[in-house]
Amino acid sequence: MDVSNIAKLSTSLAETGTRQEVSLAVFKKAQQIDAATATQLLDALPAVPSANLPAHLGNKINTTA
């Protein structure tokens, strides 16, 4: 068995593992940024004003239209 081929294979496997770890870390960071952006957008929405409608409105749905 050729020792240099084993060394090349070992190095290649180690590099692949490192690339995958870096890719996963970048993906997780992108998800965190997206979550923070979505939270900021939701927080920026104005509060829904109450409509001051009578209490009986909106309690029934007309299904025979």
Side-chain angles (χ1 to χ4, degrees):
M1 194 177 256
D2 190 13
V3 177
S4 63
N5 285 338
I6 294 173
K8 287 178 186 178
L9 177 63
S10 175
T11 303
S12 175
L13 289 173
E15 287 175 358
T16 301
T18 303
R19 280 190 212 122
Q20 288 176 346
E21 289 174 8
V22 169
S23 295
L24 185 60
V26 169
F27 177 70
K28 286 182 179 181
K29 186 63 176 178
Q31 280 185 325
Q32 290 174 351
I33 291 170
D34 286 346
T37 303
T39 302
Q40 288 176 349
L41 286 172
L42 290 173
D43 289 342
L45 290 174
V48 178
S50 61
N52 294 331
L53 296 175
H56 70 279
L57 290 179
N59 292 331
K60 296 181 182 179
I61 299 173
N62 184 1
T63 59
T64 59

